[in-house]
Structure formats: structure tokens, C-alpha cells
Amino acid sequence: MIPIAALQDLVTAGSLDFEPSADELDAIEQEMPLIRAEVELLDAQIMTIDRPASELDVRRIRRARNRVMAARRDLTNRTVTVQPGGAA
């Protein structure tokens, strides 16, 4: 039997030495409103998993969905207008 522990050290040690670049962090920052809206929608849906949805729950989920759609629209509009070369 060949031990693989030594091979794992070589694989995992190299993969932990990098961090996201500034461009990647900027992209994440631009998507944060959408991420937050999606988390709110998920929280609203999780609250209704083990019980019937009340009228308040239905409103909460509907509002959260609307926030997600608005955040997606804003993100799409922002990325479309930023394209270089005058492309729309």
C-alpha cells in the first residue's frame, strides 16, 4: 500500500497560498446588493419550510423576490453600460 499523505501536502500547500485579486474583489463588491437580496429571499423561504405560509410570510417572500429582481436589473444595467469600446 502506498501512503498518499505526502502527496496531499504538496497539493494542499500550494492551493492555500493565493488570495483574490483586486479585480475579483471589485466584481464581488459590485454583486453584493444581489447577494444580500438573494440571502434575504432564502431566509424568507427557510422560515416557511416547516409550517404553512401565512399571509405575512407570502408578503415577505414576494417582497424579497422583488428585491432580487431589482438587484439583478440594476446589476445588469450597470454591467451593460460599463462595456469598453462604446458597445451597448
Side-chain angles (χ1 to χ4, degrees):
M1 183 186 285
I2 301 171
I4 61 170
L7 296 177
Q8 284 181 333
D9 290 340
L10 293 175
V11 172
T12 57
S15 64
L16 298 176
D17 292 338
F18 67 92
E19 294 183 7
S21 67
D23 291 337
E24 291 171 334
L25 291 174
D26 289 340
I28 292 170
E29 186 65 31
Q30 285 184 346
E31 293 178 8
M32 278 310 287
L34 176 59
I35 294 168
R36 287 188 193 110
E38 288 175 338
V39 168
E40 287 179 25
L41 175 59
L42 186 60
D43 287 343
Q45 292 171 334
I46 287 172
M47 283 192 259
T48 62
I49 285 178
D50 61 346
R51 61 184 168 88
S54 67
E55 182 62 31
L56 181 63
D57 293 329
V58 171
R59 288 183 203 167
R60 185 178 294 125
I61 291 171
R62 184 177 61 238
R63 288 179 184 150
R65 281 187 184 139
N66 289 339
R67 279 189 225 104
V68 168
M69 288 189 296
R72 284 182 183 162
R73 179 198 63 219
D74 294 343
L75 182 63
T76 301
N77 289 339
R78 191 175 328 133
T79 56
V80 167
T81 58
V82 175
Q83 290 183 357

